[in-house]
Structures are given as C-alpha cells and as structure tokens.
Amino acid sequence: MKEKGAKLEYIGVDDNGELLLDQLDSYLETGKVKLVAFSQMSNVLGTITNTEEIINKCKKSGVKTLIDGAQSVPHMKVDLEKLDCDFFAFSAHKMLGPTGVGVLWVRKNVLETMDPFHGGGDMIREVHKYETTWNDLPYKFEAGTPSIADVIGFGAAIDYITTIGMDTIRNHEIDLTKYALEKMSQVKGITIYGVKDVLKRGGVISFNFHDVHPHDVATIVDREGISIRSGHHCAQVLMERLEVAATNRASFYIYNTKEDVDKLIKSLEKVAELYKL
Amino acid sequence: MSDPIYTEIIIDEAKNAHNVGTIENPDISQHDANPMCGDDITLQMRINNNEISDIKWHGDGCTICKACTSVLTQMVKGQNIEFAKNLKKEEILSELGLQHLIKQSPVRIKCALLSLKALKLGLYSYLAKKIENSSSVDSLKEDASKLY
Ligand SMILES: Cc1ncc(COP(=O)(O)O)c(C=O)c1O
C-alpha cells in the first residue's frame, strides 16, 4: 500500500459495533475511493453488515468492493450473483473443511484486467526466452501444484452443509444465540458486546466476566469441557474501540445445543467461585 | 484430570501482587509483552554493589502472569545479580505449583515466564553496557544462549 501511495481509512462503528454508514457516504463523496473492503459478518461481535446497501452505494460511485465472507458463508445463505460485488473471500476451515484452502472469487471482467501475482506451473501458456504469455482464467492465478486433496475435502464440506441447508443452519444459530443471550445476560458480572437483535447478528457472543482476564476465563471453562476463544480475535482496532484488551467469545455451529450453553454458564459459576466473585 | 492452575494461592498472589509500582531513575527498566494475549509488563530495578536492592513492576496481564511476576520479584529482591541471572524457570513455577504448564500448556507457559524473560533481558542488557573487553562479551553471550 505504501508502495502505491494508497491511504487506508476506516468506517467507524457505534457502541454496538454497527458500521456508521454516513461515514462511507462522506468518503465516497471525495471521489478518491478505489476500494471498499468489509466483512459481511464480524467474527468478534457477529454483527451482520448491511452488505447490499454498501455495495449499491459503491456501485453508484464506481467504487469496487471486497467482502470478507469467512464468517458469513459458513453460517448463512450468501448469493454472490445477487450481491454483485467485485471480490469475495472465504475459508474452508470455518465451514468444516480442511485448513489452508479457501476461495477468492473475483468478478470476471475485473480478473481479466489483473496480472498474476506469483509464478509457477500451470499459469503460463507460452514461454519464450524473453517473453511469456499467461494462460486463460482462472489458471493464470493458480500457480504451482494446487492443494488438490484439500480442495476436494473443501468440496465435500460444502456439499455436507448445503445438504443440511443454510437456512436450517441459520435458524438453528438464531435459536441458540437468542437462548444464550437471554441466559448469559442474567449472569452477574457479565458484559456482552454487540447488537442485541438476533436477526442482526450471527452465532458468536463476545463477553467479559467481571475483571477476570479472558485468558483465565477461557482456561477455566476449557477445563470444564467448554471451548471458547479468548484474545483480540485479530481485531485489535475493534478492541480499542470497545476499550478492552481482549474478550471471550463463545461461538456456535450446527453441532451445538442449548445444553452446551447451560454448561458454559455453569462453568462461569466455577470462575466466580475460584475468584470469590 | 489435568493439574490445577487456578489455586487459591495463585489467585490471591495475583490479586495482592507484591512489588507493584515504579522506581524513579532505575538502573534497569525492561518492558516485555506477549502480543498474542496482551500480557504487558515493565520490570524496574535498582542495582547497588551487584545487588538488586529494589525491584518493582507494573503492567497488565492475566492471573498467571501477575502471580508469577509477583513471585519472581520477591525471589530476586535483595539478591545479587549472579543469583538472578541463574534463576531457572522451574524455580519460579514450582513456587506456585505450575511446573506442569511446561508440558501441558504451551500457550499459558508464555504468560508464566514473561517476567523471567524480562528480568534476564534487563540484566543482560545492563551487564553488556558495563563490559570493557571482548572476551567477557563472549562469555556473556554464551551465558545468555543457555537461558531457555
Ligand atoms: C472474518 C475473518 N476473516 C478472515 C479470517 C482469516 O482466514 P484465513 O485464516 O483462512 O486466512 C478469519 C479467521 O481466521 C476471520 O474470522
């Protein structure tokens, strides 16, 4: 970015973690914006971004859009044709697939204007001593021997979750999240982050418990059989905005049940007991 | 069942940590952090005649980090530099019954040993500054390479 002289700007969020889209309007008005990048669902707060609105605004201003779907694609129905964005990325390991592979989808007419970013087998059509021509799409971007087994595994994972049905998965998570938010907000000393409306969020719940450091909470509940994530979730900028060093995050998927939520709450009682809270 | 971590001793040690504060114009001031989890501490020492006459620390961290830092400062306060230089991780951990972290928790061991790392880094930087000839630089380097 420095090389190209590009400047990075952020769209802020309100106290619930929802994007302040008025700020997007002001940025677009400058006429200097080249690319708007955002996640469709926050992996920290679960916030579902109003993706259509952002894309429509950007399209009106002739600005390209890049969407991080790593958190959204595994948990809700996403229709790329309808969204009509320019770039869209998601990862296999977030949707029961293998690690190390994912999808970067790029609109064809955008791809055609791009040069390969690294070299290797398969990407080349003709090689002469001083000149090479690139292979057709998508090969020119897929240099080297691909991770074939992992991609096939990824395909199996996609088949598996689409057989269950993305709406079924989403509804299951809405149920669980609603139940968990209700139960967890009754726990003394808990702070829950993000919007309260379950239709506006996915199945992750970030929280803090009294002033116990999230790493301590996570280790204690882990030993009670509940795995949660603790830390900054690769979102240090958001942590700063929330004025916390780190959070705990409970996250749900198709295999989770209400009993798991009860168990989490019970294990928080264990934290309270150890810390005499 | 895994060995206990969150014993009353550790939680109390972290809550009522010793030697918290700052030293004005310290001889050694060493900051260190675990970027992945947010433990972030500064150790400060006053050195008199090769002795750590005072040590204080401040910062933010989890219970394990705080408890171990508190214990470490108590162990080295009033001791000579040689003693602190040779302090082993096992000695700190066993003070709190946490030796099992070495094998069982590669993640949390970093919280437990952050202060020891800062202590050694601080001491070695201090010693390196006072060195006159190159042969002692080599022996200091060799010494430091055996730390972990
Ligand atoms: C929203 C989001 N985007 C991107 C990533 C990174 O994906 P990957 O590790 O496959 O690069 C993650 C988590 O790993 C995520 O939660």
Side-chain angles (χ1 to χ4, degrees), chain A residues 74-85:
Chain A
H75 301 277
M76 61 191 247
K77 197 180 222 158
V78 176
D79 185 340
L80 279 184
E81 260 168 56
K82 227 159 100 192
L83 279 183
D84 206 23
C85 55

Side-chain angles (χ1 to χ4, degrees), chain A residues 95-190:
Chain A
M95 42 200 297
L96 308 179
T99 53
V101 287
V103 167
L104 171 59
W105 177 94
V106 186
R107 171 181 307 296
K108 196 168 176 196
N109 60 0
V110 177
L111 254 192
E112 278 164 354
T113 65
M114 292 164 60
D115 280 332
F117 61 96
H118 63 169
D122 255 358
M123 58 174 287
I124 272 152
R125 170 169 305 146
E126 285 178 53
V127 182
H128 306 289
K129 243 181 173 167
Y130 300 107
E131 205 179 315
T132 43
T133 52
W134 309 130
N135 202 341
D136 292 333
L137 291 172
Y139 303 104
K140 78 169 182 181
F141 292 105
E142 300 191 344
T145 305
S147 193
I148 298 166
D150 291 314
V151 172
I152 293 172
F154 189 8
I158 293 173
D159 287 344
Y160 178 68
I161 61 173
T162 45
T163 306
I164 293 170
M166 295 319 293
D167 287 335
T168 311
I169 293 174
R170 175 76 183 125
N171 287 332
H172 174 68
E173 288 183 17
I174 288 175
D175 266 2
L176 269 184
T177 308
K178 191 155 183 260
Y179 180 78
L181 283 174
E182 263 166 35
K183 290 274 170 168
M184 287 170 75
S185 51
Q186 289 164 25
V187 175
K188 200 179 119 228
I190 208 166

